[in-house]
Amino acid sequence: DSGHLISNNSQEVLVRKNKTDHDLESEKLGYVVFKNGAPVEEGIRDNGLHFLSPIAPDSEEVVGEYPEIIKMKSISKIGAERNKRNFLSVGIGYSPDFSTVGLGHFSSPGARWKFLAEYSISTRFSVNTGIVMVNNKYETRGEDYHAPARYWKNGVVASDAYGECKMVDIPLNIRYNFWVKDKNSLFISGGASTYFLLKEDYYFNYEMDDPELPSYWGTEKMTVYPFGIVNFSFGYQRQFSKKSSLQIEPFIKIPTGGIGWGNVDLHTIGIYFMYRYKIGN
């Protein structure tokens, strides 16, 4: 090729010169974009004066008086990249932990500290996991606390039990952003958690006054409940800078089986207040 001429206001400018022949359908094909002598930073638009000329990878770009001409890999690829929203976010959050057995009454709140890692597949969908450090507290009736039968002396079951457990919660959730506008988004999320119980302490009360009845049981033996908790949440996220955002996320956690030494039906609700930071571009 001897080059490609573009006329702008009666002035001819050579925008590319190929050294060798090239296949116009090749994925390796590049492009030169020219807009009135100004760079096109946001891609090709329909308005204004634009010129587009294919160039081969080994082309010599001759821009004459217009050094702002830029080279891009391919128009189709640029469009695809803009539609993607693949990035990794990390976050830290806190929630009061309100737990109950069998949807009964809630005791004084525990605490949850969450360290989040989330990978966004698109603007709508993402997958997240993390590590949640939990101090869980609950009260329950003796009949809902299923300690081994041999533990109750003379068959006398406690009238109520108070439990305090330290555990690690490893969630695996899918998030869907059902409303996105400007810097705001609303979402729902669901998945499952694995509980690692690290320490269990239980205290028992009886209707009768008998000092020989057991009033405490505890252990520091770790117990694991693989994907034994179903997670559901919804929330609101507000981005206040290019990288940072704040998130509010009410949640509920429902067991698929008994949890802890007492095999209790432990439900938990709370609301995370979280700071998030996007890694990369």
Side-chain angles (χ1 to χ4, degrees):
D1 288 349
S2 60
H4 184 71
L5 296 177
I6 289 178
S7 177
N8 180 18
N9 297 329
S10 299
Q11 183 179 23
E12 292 184 339
V13 180
L14 184 64
V15 296
R16 59 99 172 157
K17 180 178 180 181
N18 296 331
K19 292 181 179 179
T20 59
D21 293 336
H22 59 274
D23 181 5
L24 293 179
E25 301 299 326
S26 171
E27 291 185 358
K28 295 181 180 180
L29 185 67
Y31 293 88
V32 166
V33 180
F34 170 79
K35 179 185 178 183
N36 295 341
V40 183
E41 298 180 353
E42 298 181 359
I44 295 178
R45 300 175 181 173
D46 293 333
N47 60 321
L49 178 61
H50 295 75
F51 297 101
L52 175 65
S53 177
I55 62 172
D58 56 352
S59 295
E60 291 181 351
E61 296 178 33
V62 182
V63 300
E65 299 178 2
Y66 296 89
E68 297 88 354
I69 293 175
I70 60 173
K71 178 179 177 181
M72 291 183 284
K73 292 182 179 178
S74 102
I75 300 307
S76 60
K77 285 186 177 181
I78 290 172
E81 287 174 1
R82 286 187 181 165
N83 289 330
K84 292 181 180 180
R85 292 294 184 269
N86 305 116
F87 57 85
L88 179 67
S89 295
V90 295
I92 183 171
Y94 168 81
S95 170
D97 179 293
F98 298 94
S99 294
T100 180
V101 174
L103 298 178
H105 64 279
F106 293 91
S107 65
S108 57
R112 288 177 172 261
W113 286 97
K114 184 174 184 177
F115 301 91
L116 171 80
E118 182 171 87
Y119 180 73
S120 295
I121 302 171
S122 68
T123 56
R124 297 290 183 180
F125 287 97
S126 59
V127 178
N128 66 73
T129 185
I131 298 176
V132 186
M133 308 303 296
V134 184
N135 182 19
N136 182 265
K137 302 176 181 181
Y138 68 89
E139 295 180 9
T140 182
R141 298 172 298 180
E143 61 191 57
D144 295 324
Y145 188 89
H146 308 294
R150 65 181 182 274
Y151 180 76
W152 305 117
K153 186 174 181 180
N154 300 325
V156 178
V157 178
S159 58
D160 59 80
Y162 170 79
E164 186 167 346
C165 302
K166 296 186 183 301
M167 64 180 79
V168 175
D169 176 357
I170 307 294
L172 180 60
N173 299 316
I174 296 175
R175 166 173 161 164
Y176 174 66
N177 298 315
F178 62 87
W179 181 80
V180 179
K181 185 175 182 181
D182 299 328
K183 297 182 179 181
N184 306 286
S185 60
L186 295 174
F187 64 89
I188 57 174
S189 177
S193 279
T194 296
Y195 274 177
F196 294 82
L197 265 66
L198 306 179
K199 189 175 186 297
E200 302 176 63
D201 294 292
Y202 304 107
Y203 303 87
F204 309 109
N205 294 315
Y206 300 87
E207 293 181 352
M208 63 178 64
D209 186 12
D210 186 344
E212 294 185 358
L213 295 176
S215 60
Y216 168 81
W217 188 90
T219 182
E220 294 187 9
K221 180 181 178 180
M222 185 175 71
T223 310
V224 182
Y225 299 87
F227 298 104
I229 304 294
V230 175
N231 303 321
F232 177 77
S233 68
F234 66 95
Y236 166 76
Q237 183 176 331
R238 168 71 179 182
Q239 185 174 343
F240 60 89
S241 73
K242 185 176 181 180
K243 297 284 189 177
S244 301
S245 61
L246 293 177
Q247 179 175 303
I248 300 175
E249 183 182 8
F251 67 89
I252 183 170
K253 304 178 79 68
I254 304 170
T256 59
I259 300 295
W261 185 68
N263 278 321
V264 294
D265 185 24
L266 189 64
H267 293 68
T268 301
I269 64 172
I271 178 169
Y272 280 114
F273 301 91
M274 180 168 294
Y275 169 80
R276 297 167 56 103
Y277 183 82
K278 185 172 75 171
I279 298 176
N281 295 321

